[in-house]
Amino acid sequence: MSTSPSTGCLSTTHLPAADRAESWHEAVSHAFVPMAVDFLEEVPSAGSIGGHQLGPLRITRVQAGPQMVTRNRRMIADGGPPSLILTLQERGTALKEQDDRRSVIRPGEFSITDTSRVFRKRIEEGFAFTSFHFPRAALDVPERDLRELTATTFSGAEGSAALVATYLSRMAREAEVLDEAVGRRAAATALDLLALLVDDRSARGRAQTPSNAASLERVKAHILRNLRDPDLSPSTIAEANFISVRFLHKLFHLENTTVGGWIRAQRLERCSRDLLRPVAAELGVAGVARRWGFANSSHFSRAFRAAYGMPPSTWQTTHRPRAVPTHHRPPSTDDTPLSARVPGA
């Protein structure tokens, strides 16, 4: 069994201080992409850099002293395929700049950098981080969504960002002992999680856009018009509204619900009303359920109980309006003709 290949390791600890700058600059450009390195101390501190390759992911751990790295237009123009670098900050605080955004990355947080555009990172203290460098083509997300998230701080404490940070940290620790086949599968999972994070954050960022709000209202109107159809499904809804199923799910995710959940809630609400109306006596519980698109009466009963806390039959008994008794007025003893008693008659 062959383990994942090492990408080499360099340490400037034993180099004379005068030689550290040049060696470090070469090591950084070799490990990532060509970048300019400016040291923020008179005598550069010793640093180390090295890691492993897992499929398309190059994992690199870096620790060094205060410095600033910059990738400019000339370096980008020199060529090379576009790539992305995700950096998990472990020690020290970094200031990241790209795409007209600036963000502060503290220990426990991470950020994404696109090497095809100008960027700069400045760290004014001793630091350590682990990076994950991979081809842009390996991440299946729209370019617009990705561009909105460069130089953005992601907290590894909650949500989809926590999934990414936890998984990448563990994968980096185990990279040395993973064989090549397992390493490739682990890298593929990491990229899937990162795509999930980009989708999640991009959807939240577009939550209040007028176009999405209009699309959601149009879709909801279509669903309500077809609520009785038992074959109503995400695929038929998406096709009728000329959108993708993926985008359809995103629209409902913006309201913290799902397509199926919203449809079910609308159907149950209408069933709950009909069960208290005369139509229920004609159709029965199962007939009311079928009327609103529930093809299976057992499924309807379970869904109704989950939503309303009781079976449909109990709902009928408990909530049906009671008949109001009619009290007859005693006959009038006034013999005056009605026409005379009603003004204007």
Side-chain angles (χ1 to χ4, degrees):
M1 179 183 71
S2 60
T3 57
S4 59
S6 169
T7 58
C9 183
L10 176 136
S11 173
T12 62
T13 302
H14 303 295
L15 291 177
D19 298 333
R20 285 177 183 168
E22 183 178 354
S23 296
W24 186 252
H25 181 272
E26 291 178 1
V28 168
S29 295
H30 177 74
F32 299 103
V33 290
M35 291 184 278
V37 180
D38 295 310
F39 293 95
L40 304 180
E41 51 187 351
E42 252 185 71
V43 178
S45 298
S48 64
I49 184 169
H52 292 81
Q53 187 82 30
L54 295 183
L57 279 178
R58 185 161 69 229
I59 303 173
T60 306
R61 189 169 193 279
V62 180
Q63 51 184 351
Q67 58 189 260
M68 179 173 69
V69 296
T70 305
R71 182 161 167 82
N72 57 37
R73 289 184 174 83
R74 179 183 58 77
M75 295 170 178
I76 295 169
D78 285 343
S83 61
L84 302 172
I85 304 173
L86 185 151
T87 304
L88 283 171
Q89 199 71 21
E90 299 168 6
R91 179 165 52 86
T93 298
L95 177 64
K96 179 79 66 69
E97 298 177 71
Q98 188 170 45
D99 296 327
D100 298 321
R101 280 187 297 275
R102 302 179 71 194
S103 62
V104 175
I105 318 298
R106 298 178 177 83
E109 300 174 336
F110 66 91
S111 62
I112 300 171
T113 301
D114 190 328
T115 67
S116 67
R117 296 192 298 282
V118 173
F119 68 81
R120 179 167 59 189
K121 181 168 72 172
R122 183 184 181 95
I123 309 179
E124 298 187 349
E125 57 190 318
F127 66 88
F129 64 75
T130 298
S131 69
F132 302 82
H133 188 192
F134 52 93
R136 166 65 183 90
L139 186 64
D140 183 21
V141 297
E143 183 62 28
R144 180 188 65 176
D145 291 354
L146 179 63
R147 189 181 284 260
E148 291 174 354
L149 298 177
T150 52
T152 296
T153 304
F154 293 95
S155 169
E158 60 183 5
S160 51
L163 290 176
V164 172
T166 302
Y167 184 84
L168 290 181
S169 297
R170 184 60 184 268
M171 185 176 67
R173 290 197 297 270
E174 302 296 333
E176 187 176 359
V177 298
L178 296 179
D179 65 47
E180 188 173 353
V182 173
R184 286 186 175 277
R185 291 171 63 185
T189 299
L191 292 171
D192 284 345
L193 288 174
L194 184 54
L196 173 67
L197 170 64
V198 173
D199 280 350
D200 180 32
R201 289 301 179 93
S202 298
R204 281 194 243 167
R206 293 195 296 272
Q208 302 304 322
T209 62
S211 60
N212 280 347
S215 296
L216 183 58
E217 289 308 308
R218 185 177 69 251
V219 166
K220 284 182 175 180
H222 169 82
I223 291 173
L224 294 178
R225 287 194 303 270
N226 296 273
L227 204 56
R228 298 174 187 263
D229 183 358
D231 294 324
L232 190 66
S233 68
S235 59
T236 62
I237 296 167
E239 183 178 0
N241 288 273
F242 304 100
I243 59 177
S244 69
V245 174
R246 181 179 182 182
F247 182 63
L248 174 67
H249 286 302
K250 279 188 177 183
L251 289 176
F252 281 86
H253 177 70
L254 299 178
E255 293 200 340
N256 296 315
T257 187
T258 63
V259 182
W262 196 81
I263 292 173
R264 184 169 56 252
Q266 299 304 311
R267 284 174 168 166
L268 287 171
E269 181 181 344
R270 284 151 182 80
C271 287
S272 71
R273 295 176 192 166
D274 279 3
L275 287 171
L276 305 181
R277 293 172 175 168
V279 68
E282 302 172 19
L283 300 177
V285 172
V288 169
R290 284 194 299 272
R291 188 184 193 206
W292 289 108
F294 286 100
N296 185 294
S297 57
S298 297
H299 169 67
F300 165 68
S301 294
R302 289 194 297 271
F304 194 95
R305 183 193 290 267
Y308 292 89
M310 63 185 71
S313 56
T314 306
W315 171 268
Q316 284 183 297
T317 305
T318 307
H319 292 80
R320 181 179 291 136
R322 295 181 180 179
V324 179
T326 301
H327 298 286
H328 297 285
R329 292 173 56 193
S332 174
T333 58
D334 188 350
D335 294 330
T336 305
L338 182 63
S339 59
R341 283 187 276 125
V342 180

